């Protein structure tokens, strides 16, 4: 998701991945699936097949951990503040990192896709630093990010300018 806010001194571009479930909904799903699998494991235990229960517990632990990790990374965000003389970039999940400062002129570097299934990769670059941006966005949001940054004065540069271009 790309959100643009106009302030008096700068433009703020907020990047967040699309989230289909909140942490509360994810916990409810984990509890429901864990209860269902545990009921199956206890049923097999009652039937005398006790070897199933440890594997059910391992299965519950693995899928709970994976649900947690996926949900955690949907809360990441990246903030790009565009000033007249500089650009500040921050990213984080719970707390934002120290701002990375890029001086003007700043470029929007576009890396071509390896194949048609891969999304393009974008980064901001000045003479000294390069910051990767929007690596968690979908295709629609990447197009919106590209047009937003170009509209606010960043110069798009193709990293592989010598190769033939394909339309996105």
């Amino acid at each position: 998701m790309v959100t643009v806010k106009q302030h008096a001194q700068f433009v703020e571009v907020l990047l967040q991945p699309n989230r289909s479930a909140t942490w509360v909904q994810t916990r409810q799903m984990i509890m429901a699936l864990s209860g269902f699998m545990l009921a199956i494991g206890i049923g097999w235990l009652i039937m005398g097949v006790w070897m199933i229960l440890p594997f059910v517990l391992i299965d519950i632990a693995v899928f709970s951990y994976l649900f947690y990790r996926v949900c955690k990374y949907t809360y990441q965000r990246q903030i790009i503040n565009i000033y007249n003389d500089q650009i500040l970039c921050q990213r984080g999940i719970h707390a934002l990192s120290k701002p990375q400062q890029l001086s003007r002129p700043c470029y929007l570097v576009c890396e071509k896709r390896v194949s048609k299934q891969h999304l393009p990769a974008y980064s901001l670059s000045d003479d000294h630093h390069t910051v990767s941006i929007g690596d968690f966005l979908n295709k629609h949001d990447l197009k919106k990010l590209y047009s937003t940054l170009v509209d606010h004065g960043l110069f798009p540069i193709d990293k592989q300018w010598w190769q033939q271009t394909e339309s996105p």
Side-chain angles (χ1 to χ4, degrees), residues 24-86:
V24 173
Q25 293 168 333
T26 303
R27 276 193 319 212
Q28 290 171 350
M29 182 61 77
I30 290 171
M31 297 303 283
L33 289 173
S34 296
F36 177 71
M37 287 191 292
L38 198 56
I40 291 173
I42 291 174
W44 280 107
L45 180 65
I46 292 171
M47 298 297 288
V49 188
W50 61 270
M51 286 295 289
I52 298 293
L53 193 60
F55 291 105
V56 168
L57 296 175
I58 290 171
D59 189 31
I60 289 172
V62 167
F63 99 85
S64 297
Y65 173 74
L66 293 176
F67 267 50
Y68 166 75
R69 291 288 301 243
V70 168
C71 185
K72 177 182 175 185
Y73 284 110
T74 62
Y75 281 91
Q76 66 182 319
R77 63 187 188 264
Q78 190 170 22
I79 298 176
I80 303 168
N81 292 327
I82 304 172
Y83 294 88
N84 289 333
D85 58 341
Q86 67 179 351

Side-chain angles (χ1 to χ4, degrees), residues 46-160:
I46 292 171
M47 298 297 288
V49 188
W50 61 270
M51 286 295 289
I52 298 293
L53 193 60
F55 291 105
V56 168
L57 296 175
I58 290 171
D59 189 31
I60 289 172
V62 167
F63 99 85
S64 297
Y65 173 74
L66 293 176
F67 267 50
Y68 166 75
R69 291 288 301 243
V70 168
C71 185
K72 177 182 175 185
Y73 284 110
T74 62
Y75 281 91
Q76 66 182 319
R77 63 187 188 264
Q78 190 170 22
I79 298 176
I80 303 168
N81 292 327
I82 304 172
Y83 294 88
N84 289 333
D85 58 341
Q86 67 179 351
I87 294 177
L88 298 177
C89 297
Q90 293 177 289
R91 73 179 328 156
I93 294 176
H94 299 295
L96 292 173
S97 65
K98 180 182 171 189
Q100 293 179 299
Q101 182 177 355
L102 300 161
S103 60
R104 292 288 192 126
C106 191
Y107 305 99
L108 176 60
V109 181
C110 310
E111 288 192 42
K112 289 185 182 176
R113 300 180 292 176
V114 177
S115 69
K116 291 185 179 189
Q117 289 79 23
H118 291 98
L119 295 175
Y122 295 118
S123 58
L124 297 177
S125 180
D126 64 0
D127 293 336
H128 305 288
H129 306 288
T130 300
V131 178
S132 176
I133 59 169
D135 51 353
F136 49 80
L137 296 177
N138 61 22
K139 185 176 184 178
H140 173 72
D141 289 340
L142 282 173
K143 286 181 181 180
K144 185 175 179 183
L145 173 64
Y146 179 86
S147 64
T148 299
L149 294 178
V150 169
D151 290 346
H152 287 95
L154 275 74
F155 304 107
I157 294 179
D158 191 1
K159 193 170 184 178
Q160 294 94 5

